[in-house]
Every structure is written in C-alpha cells, then in structure tokens.
C-alpha cells in the first residue's frame, strides 16, 4: 500500500476535513519519528511510507463507526486485511486504541504522537495569528502541563514517549512540532 492509497481510504470512509487534517498531522509526525529513529540507530520497523500510512489511517473509521471506541479501527482493519496490508501496520493501528499490544516502535509512536498533534493544533489556534509558525516547543510544554488547556488531549499517552520510546518529552514535542510546521500549508495552520 502507498500513502496515496491510504489517503483514498480516508476519502472512501468520508472523513471530515478536520479528521483529514488530523490524519495529515499524524502522517508527518510519524515520518519525522521514523527519521529520528533511523538517525539514532534504533532501526524502525518497515518503511517510512508505512509509518506515514499508520499516521494517515489510525483514525480512518472513527467517524464512520459513530466515534464508538468499541468499534474503532474494526472497519479500517477489515479493509486493510482485504488489501493484504502488512500485519505490523494493522497491529499499530489497533494498538493506538488499546486493541493490540504495542510491541513495536511504529505502534508505540502512533500511540504517543496521536494526542500530541492535537495539543499542537490547539496551541496554534490560541496564537494571535493562529499559525503553527508562532508555536514554540516551550509553549507546547507549557500547554502540556496546563491540564485545563485542551483537556480533550490526553497527556498520558504523550508521556509514553519517555517510558516507551526513550525520547525526552521536550525532544518529542520538538520533532512533532517541526514536522507539522514543515507542512503548515497542508494543515492550513
Ligand atoms: Fe488520532
């Protein structure tokens, strides 16, 4: 499967513009994390495009399953199995909502990055110009600590960057923020 084919699945499942942007944010964060692991010699599984696909598709059926966590990922996985997509991709997608054990870097990465991208978007939206370019790592960390800010963004999975991925929170926030800033036009932020 290619990232383009993954984006087609998002369209097939009639994702809203906001969900498409969330998918894009996660795609870019996952690509940056793949690069980080390669650079640090940690040997990420699969290919960079596979990491992008997990970012694109992890929430693909969230809206079509009525945002029911019970059924979340089932529709996506059904499609991916029919297409013969690699099991590690499917496990990572299922793992992000606790439906599979997170054993791999790819699974642990989407779990930790998912909510962080939401926190970064919320951090941009409170800037005077509402731009990602105005967001700093320090401001993301400050918002991270302020539990009343974007309370829908669960901090616990984000924190697993340290326990599960061995990436300090500050560095993890920086990787995702830069990745999103580099694609701010796509994200319309
Ligand atoms: Fe997500």
């Amino acid at each position: 499967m290619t990232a383009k084919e993954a984006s087609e699945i998002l369209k097939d499942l009639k994702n809203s513009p906001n969900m498409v942007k969330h998918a894009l944010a996660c795609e870019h964060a996952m690509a940056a994390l793949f690069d980080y692991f390669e650079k640090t010699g940690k040997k990420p599984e699969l290919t960079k495009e596979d990491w992008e696909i997990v970012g694109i598709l992890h929430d693909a059926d969230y809206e079509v399953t009525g945002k029911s966590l019970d059924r979340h990922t089932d529709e996506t996985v059904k499609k991916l199995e029919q297409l013969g997509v690699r099991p590690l991709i499917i496990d990572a997608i299922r793992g992000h909502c606790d439906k599979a054990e997170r054993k791999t870097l790819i699974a642990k990465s989407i779990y930790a990055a998912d909510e962080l991208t939401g926190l970064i978007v919320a951090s941009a939206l409170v800037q005077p110009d509402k731009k990602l370019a105005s967001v700093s790592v320090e401001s993301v960390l400050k918002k991270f600590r302020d539990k009343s800010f974007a309370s829908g963004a669960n901090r616990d999975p984000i924190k697993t960057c340290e326990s599960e991925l061995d990436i300090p929170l500050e560095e993890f926030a920086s990787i995702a923020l830069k990745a999103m800033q580099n694609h701010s036009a796509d994200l319309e932020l």
Side-chain angles (χ1 to χ4, degrees), residues 73-87:
T73 71
D74 294 355
E75 288 297 315
T76 310
V77 167
K78 217 188 292 170
K79 274 183 184 283
L80 297 183
E81 281 175 346
Q82 281 163 3
L83 294 167
V85 166
R86 292 190 181 101

Side-chain angles (χ1 to χ4, degrees), residues 19 22-23 26 55 58-60 62 72 96 110 113-115 117-118:
M19 283 304 284
H22 173 62
C26 290
H58 75 284
D59 275 341
Y62 185 59
H72 186 31
H96 99 274
I110 187 61
D114 185 8
E115 302 277 322
T117 64

Side-chain angles (χ1 to χ4, degrees), residues 26-46:
C26 290
E27 171 188 359
H28 300 313
M30 288 294 281
L33 284 164
F34 180 92
D35 288 343
Y36 169 85
F37 288 123
E38 274 220 321
K39 208 173 58 198
T40 52
K42 285 194 186 159
K43 296 197 171 64
E45 310 86 10
L46 306 174

Side-chain angles (χ1 to χ4, degrees), residues 30 33-34 37 43-55 58 86-93 95-96 102-113 165:
M30 288 294 281
L33 284 164
F34 180 92
F37 288 123
K43 296 197 171 64
E45 310 86 10
L46 306 174
T47 66
K48 185 168 173 176
E49 189 165 26
D50 290 329
W51 280 56
E52 291 169 345
I53 289 167
V54 168
H58 75 284
R86 292 190 181 101
L88 283 192
I89 293 182
I90 292 175
D91 288 348
I93 290 173
H96 99 274
R102 293 179 290 274
K103 296 183 202 157
T104 55
L105 287 175
I106 191 171
K108 292 172 181 178
S109 292
I110 187 61
Y111 182 69
L165 296 170

